[in-house]
Amino acid sequence: MQTMTFTQQLLQYIPFFYVIWSDDLVTISEINVVQNTIEKDQTLSREEKDTLLSWLNPDKPPRDSEMKQWKHTISNSNERLIESETYPLTSFSNRVASHYHGPVDFNESLKHIEINLGIQPNHYNHLFDVEVKHASTSTYYNPKELDQILKGKHANLIDAFRETLNHSIFKWDIHRDKEDFRNIVLDQVKFLAGKGYGAMAYPEAYGGNNDMEGYAHMFENMMYVDGSLTIKFGVQFGLFGGSIQKLGTKEHHDKYLTDTGKTSLLGCFAMTETGHGSNVRGIKTTATYDKATDQIIIHTPGKNDNKEYIGNALHSKMASVFAQLIVNGKNEGVHAILVPLRDENHELLPGVTVKDNGYKLGLNGVDNGKIWFDQVAVPRKNLLNKYGEITDDGKYRSEIKNANKRFFTMLGTLVGGRICVARAGLAGAKFALTVAVKHALKRRQFNDSIKVQEDLLIDYPSHQLRLTPLVASAYVYHFALDQMMESYCDEKQPDKRVIETQVAGLKSIITWYANNSIQECREACGGKGYLLENRIADLKGDVDIFTTFEGDNTVLLLLAAKGVLSDFKAEFNSAGFTSVLKILGMQLNNTLTTINPVYSNKVDKEHLYNIKFHKHAFNYRTRRLTYTLAMRIRNYIKQGMPSYQAFLKVQTHLLTLGKAYSTELAYNTFIGKIEQLSEDKNKALLFKQGTLFALHEIRKDAEWYLEQGYIGSTKSKAIRQRVERLCTELRPHIGSLVDGFGIPEHCLTAPIAH
Amino acid sequence: MQTMTFTQQLLQYIPFFYVIWSDDLVTISEINVVQNTIEKDQTLSREEKDTLLSWLNPDKPPRDSEMKQWKHTISNSNERLIESETYPLTSFSNRVASHYHGPVDFNESLKHIEINLGIQPNHYNHLFDVEVKHASTSTYYNPKELDQILKGKHANLIDAFRETLNHSIFKWDIHRDKEDFRNIVLDQVKFLAGKGYGAMAYPEAYGGNNDMEGYAHMFENMMYVDGSLTIKFGVQFGLFGGSIQKLGTKEHHDKYLTDTGKTSLLGCFAMTETGHGSNVRGIKTTATYDKATDQIIIHTPGKNDNKEYIGNALHSKMASVFAQLIVNGKNEGVHAILVPLRDENHELLPGVTVKDNGYKLGLNGVDNGKIWFDQVAVPRKNLLNKYGEITDDGKYRSEIKNANKRFFTMLGTLVGGRICVARAGLAGAKFALTVAVKHALKRRQFNDSIKVQEDLLIDYPSHQLRLTPLVASAYVYHFALDQMMESYCDEKQPDKRVIETQVAGLKSIITWYANNSIQECREACGGKGYLLENRIADLKGDVDIFTTFEGDNTVLLLLAAKGVLSDFKAEFNSAGFTSVLKILGMQLNNTLTTINPVYSNKVDKEHLYNIKFHKHAFNYRTRRLTYTLAMRIRNYIKQGMPSYQAFLKVQTHLLTLGKAYSTELAYNTFIGKIEQLSEDKNKALLFKQGTLFALHEIRKDAEWYLEQGYIGSTKSKAIRQRVERLCTELRPHIGSLVDGFGIPEHCLTAPIAH
């Protein structure tokens, strides 16, 4: 038999060579590793070394007949690969050699190759025509450690909160009737308030911890119970309470904040109108100061000017109403006024009309309603007057003279809510991914005709590709949002405008990501994903609206893009504009000079996995899009086009910039956080999530990079292959990765996840 | 004033020149039109002609100062553009000239340019700093005519059916309780059966019309009432009745088909099992022939082998059960057997267990359940025996000797159901698009500070871009599915395998398209889209599962791709394989020779709008993907990899091919249908839908085309710009386009659509 022509030393190498040459992605540096090891392997004769090295020549790969001979040699040994061994390929090779030559020593050099090539059984188990018992998931990483890293400095709070969610009041169930559902959710909110969680973000004087970051983490974990609970909680404490805390002054705090935190005062946040959703500045509700009575008169002027979609509208005693404040006949712009809605018997007060919005696609445990005001008078002191007040002598006064700036300062205080919405969306994605991955680690379908057992869903490359980049993105967005909330809460950064731009962008891309992920998970679970009991269906309904509320994603991306352009905007129509463009043009050219053909076709693993490459690619895109955008706008304006029209004409360009900017921001922020971690295997694993995220995102926009010549065809294909390969590499750990999200067992009720 | 330096003849041309040079997309052929017309314009002096021609030189575009001067001249006339005029730009130019020079004759040459450039007011209305009253939609096209074309030869049936849907039993309402909802839907199904619609596809002898094509159109229109109605209808008449019709023989037809069509016999289609969804061949339920009693014993062997997700399971008297047929100890493969489930009192028969599947994301009006059989005996004659029977002397007999072929023949008869699912998905998209477009034609948000009225949503480029390609795709898919059903019903084509491959692909891309469209519409309608009353929410829940049932989309795409490869597959592992590859390689090379740099950078409108370009681009992609796929598989197999593993390794490549193939098929089929229409403006409008579809699809896969060098950067950008421009061009007609879907007013209950 031909196989016996191999010495036992050579034979041990054959499974390795078979793996190396069956792989489409063998790189020069990988070959170098093998070459060096062979040279140093003292068990080999010079002749054996030369034979092996001749098999390694990339210019002269083994012929198919040679590959087949190797394959037969391996198959005929009847040895089986055992994936759970410490060095599975080395051990397997050893057994193959032993089959032909009798007991053979374990070759340390092969172990060295196995470790340094970083190849794992799932790379090559398909190559051997032997029956392999798949371990459904590896235990190399400890999910508890990952969870600990994700929780960071908030671990104690989060652990305690998760334990609180183990109470029977939070037991998941199907609630089809909206009245029942709303009452259950109201009870849950009150329960959490009773435990002190409602006031979490308020000052200590009002029962709180001043802990907005902790609040955001709670918000995320609440999603594991139910979306309606999360949103109702957010309306009561974040929006209603938040408007008192951030737009009101001490008098308001003293009078309302403690009660709000305890839910003894239920309130709503009445901003959106039927006719005005995204365009808050255009709302029509008026708040007219009447000097004679020293009161403010709240009024809904027209048919479509009612407050719309107001959460908590049916349970509330009071509303924080946004209206055009008119003092002495002058419109001072949008301000918030506290307006009592109901009396102690929960009867509507005179002049107030509330109507139920009815059933929705999701969040049916939240009581959304429409509100009309018919000349409703409230005391002057009900104006939340931090940024603008009516003085005792009936005059309007504000520290911020510019009405525009005043408006945006008021809205800016609500940016925290947007971070929380993104967090809640992320939680929805984490939950759905956990269910889908756990299902894929159990569910089998189809098989090779010679195998007894069908294959696990997760062992299909298409299934790995549909889920793994989404899991990696969840890690990236988690840390990005952590950092964003930290910056938002940082008192040393009084100018919140940069953060506003950043949050606008992140909220958009993360809530879109969340919806896509949940949909992908639904489909990945087939019909099982469609049953309410498996939880993905509700998430789909609930998270859907996150792309719209707290700022429509499209409008927010335009805002983000305009933020990026803002340094330019100030220069529009002025001579200085051209010089700014010139400076940016120069910087861009500097960047561009580095894109030589060698760079744009660099495809080795070291380069593609390098953070510098990812950062450069993201940064190049943002800058290039900014530059071309500014140029287009400038040309339009030079031709005499009004700037509103010019911006309309470049709208799709703005959206592209908004997305590019936000993706870059998420990645950079993530890397910044991970770099601070102590060195260990978990840190390496998290970096790998970053790599998959970055390559996946670059891949998604490959057409743009190709158009720009930033990457060439070869590189574009290499990136696609690397994404697929990373998904396969992470296959043994995907179970640990979703367990690392730390979703409590008592929340994870989906039967298919068990 | 400078403006007076223009003669009245020149002045009339100035708005045209301002439009031409403000446009990023002016092409050589467009310039030619203008040049020729100027030469022929007898109202111009030679000097005026030369001036005008000098302004047309693409190498020497007007300076910004010149553009500004034109702009001022136009603005200072204080004339307004009236978009509803027959030749708005010519009339406007005439008024501008008249302002400075007194009454001026209408210039026919300008009219000629306006028509031949094909520019419409919405291309240029942003250019003039004048207030324009937007007509919300043009009346140039008649939606009734479009509807008539879509209905084709089925117009009478569809009109009558739509009228039937005007009955109060179909009035839309919110049904939260599944028992109530299911009863209402059952009554609706019975009502339609009473009108004869249930038997539509059955032979006349059993109360039908033998009209499967008409059935598909009804199916689509039923979606305008409710998804649950559509699916329950499909289960009763299409799946249960269809299995009797297509897998049974005359005895079964005589005994059951008339009753099924009338709903006096309610039945279900019990194929899927908990453990086996996509892999039907692996189902575990057994049907063992017992010679002693001449009966077939139906049995559920294991825990996960119950029938799962069976529609109509709670209302049915009988099930068409798919099981492994065992005769004389030999497994003859999957067959269908009619099994009574309940007696006349609707009590379950001995050995039968049914459990409700509970609440789902959507389709809660359909009673899905699980079914277990414990040694249930039925007469031998209950075997649906068209393709395999048990003879009177207790032996298995089939005309189709190959068990594999037999199985696929049986499944193949159910392909009609897949077409219907795609149709229903398409109907969901049409409905959502109609609601979203009508909303966008009314809803205003934001404005230029100088304008009184806010802008319509549809006038935002991003909004046009998100909806218009989806509307165009609906037209393409409509005709593609029409043709597919026609081919499926064509008795002259006995080999249905090609159609199976085609339907597998189309069902996947169309149901995915439907879900994406519905989601886009939900977001495009903001919070209003989230309310059940506006109908999009239910569509989202209902249509979601269409990507999974009647064949999971991923599995179907793999099937389609393998169909494309099937000619190769027969050659695998044989010497002939190489020669087949060579032939295909040669053909590909022939195709490739046409991709010279001129072609890959051809960006003029004539080329990009040319059907030949679209067909070539789609065909090139399919062929190239097939070729590279075949090469990869061949190499793996030559290296000794088992073919199952080789196919697993190229799984994502297969999916890409499946999508490419299906998109090409949809476009070609659409073009084939449209070419048969009589020449008129509607035909041109439909071709334009095809152009937008094609460019949008090529654009979505631009990275691939760029990687292959099929298109260059310039062309890729030009395609993107053309897509945006086509959306803008279609803006005045988008209302007519959605009205053309013909959704009856009595079904279109969404308040935001009115």
Side-chain angles (χ1 to χ4, degrees), chain A residues 102-165:
Chain A
V104 166
D105 286 340
F106 198 79
N107 186 333
E108 289 295 323
S109 299
L110 288 171
K111 208 176 99 181
H112 180 79
I113 295 176
E114 184 163 9
I115 296 166
N116 283 285
L117 286 193
I119 41 172
Q120 287 162 12
N122 55 310
H123 293 167
Y124 53 78
N125 59 27
H126 60 275
L127 294 174
F128 301 119
D129 194 15
V130 291
E131 198 186 325
V132 175
K133 186 167 162 30
H134 286 261
S136 86
T137 195
S138 149
T139 55
Y140 184 73
Y141 297 104
N142 182 348
K144 286 205 167 56
E145 290 174 15
L146 294 174
D147 182 32
Q148 210 60 33
I149 296 171
L150 290 180
K151 287 183 292 196
K153 61 186 175 190
H154 304 283
N156 288 342
L157 169 69
I158 296 171
D159 288 340
F161 187 70
R162 286 179 180 167
E163 199 40 48
T164 306
L165 298 182

Side-chain angles (χ1 to χ4, degrees), chain B residues 214-253:
Chain B
Y215 177 90
H217 277 282
M218 279 177 8
F219 209 73
E220 178 172 336
N221 279 276
M222 243 177 282
M223 278 296 287
Y224 304 147
V225 173
D226 177 52
S228 292
L229 165 61
T230 314
I231 298 310
K232 188 157 176 111
F233 188 96
V235 168
Q236 167 69 19
F237 306 112
L239 291 178
F240 175 66
S243 69
I244 296 173
Q245 183 189 8
K246 305 212 160 174
L247 303 180
T249 45
K250 187 160 187 303
E251 203 175 329
H252 303 111
H253 298 168

Side-chain angles (χ1 to χ4, degrees), chain A residues 274 279 309 361 443 454-455 462 512 522-523 527-528 530 540-541 544 644 651-652 707 713 716 724, chain B residues 274 279 308-309 361 443 454-455 462 512 522-523 527 530 540-541 544 644 651-652 707 713 716 724:
Chain A
T274 302
N279 185 9
Y309 242 115
L361 173 54
R443 171 76 169 177
E454 291 179 304
D455 286 333
S462 61
W512 268 324
R522 205 298 289 153
E523 293 183 33
K528 286 288 180 191
Y530 198 63
K540 194 178 151 177
D544 182 341
Y644 177 80
Q651 202 190 20
T652 55
E707 275 178 9
S713 297
S716 176
E724 293 192 14
Chain B
T274 302
N279 185 9
E308 174 72 271
Y309 241 114
L361 174 53
R443 171 77 169 177
E454 290 178 304
D455 285 332
S462 61
W512 268 325
R522 205 298 290 153
E523 293 183 34
Y530 198 63
K540 195 178 150 177
D544 182 350
Y644 178 81
Q651 201 191 20
T652 55
E707 275 178 8
S713 298
S716 177
E724 293 192 13

Side-chain angles (χ1 to χ4, degrees), chain A residues 553-565:
Chain A
N553 280 4
T554 299
V555 177
L556 288 182
L557 274 187
L558 292 173
L559 187 72
K562 284 177 185 170
V564 176
L565 277 173

Side-chain angles (χ1 to χ4, degrees), chain B residues 547-567:
Chain B
T547 61
T548 299
F549 70 22
E550 297 282 311
D552 177 84
N553 280 4
T554 299
V555 177
L556 288 181
L557 274 186
L558 293 174
L559 187 71
K562 285 180 185 167
V564 176
L565 277 173
S566 66
D567 290 336

Side-chain angles (χ1 to χ4, degrees), chain B residues 227-379:
Chain B
S228 292
L229 165 61
T230 314
I231 298 310
K232 188 157 176 111
F233 188 96
V235 168
Q236 167 69 19
F237 306 112
L239 291 178
F240 175 66
S243 69
I244 296 173
Q245 183 189 8
K246 305 212 160 174
L247 303 180
T249 45
K250 187 160 187 303
E251 203 175 329
H252 303 111
H253 298 168
D254 290 347
K255 201 163 172 187
Y256 303 113
L257 214 47
T258 306
D259 282 354
T260 301
K262 286 183 182 160
T263 56
S264 23
L265 173 64
L266 290 174
C268 59
F269 183 82
M271 182 186 266
T272 300
E273 295 176 357
T274 302
H276 288 84
S278 295
N279 185 9
V280 174
R281 219 173 346 173
I283 56 169
K284 297 289 185 194
T285 302
T286 52
T288 312
Y289 177 61
D290 178 34
K291 204 166 181 177
T293 58
D294 197 27
Q295 287 180 320
I296 299 171
I297 316 297
I298 312 293
H299 188 64
T300 306
K303 190 167 88 71
N304 285 320
D305 302 330
N306 59 289
K307 294 298 171 184
E308 174 72 271
Y309 241 114
I310 308 305
N312 224 6
L314 281 88
H315 290 153
S316 286
K317 288 277 186 288
M318 185 176 269
S320 186
V321 177
F322 286 76
Q324 305 287 351
L325 181 65
I326 297 161
V327 182
N328 300 322
K330 187 181 170 214
N331 187 340
E332 302 290 353
V334 175
H335 288 67
I337 302 104
L338 293 175
V339 183
L341 298 179
R342 294 184 172 87
D343 63 18
E344 60 277 17
N345 301 319
H346 211 67
E347 299 291 335
L348 284 169
L349 292 169
V352 179
T353 308
V354 175
K355 272 192 193 160
D356 192 339
N357 264 124
Y359 281 102
K360 295 158 292 181
L361 174 53
L363 298 181
N364 280 303
V366 181
D367 47 316
N368 291 95
K370 312 181 193 202
I371 311 178
W372 289 259
F373 300 99
D374 182 11
Q375 310 285 358
V376 175
V378 300

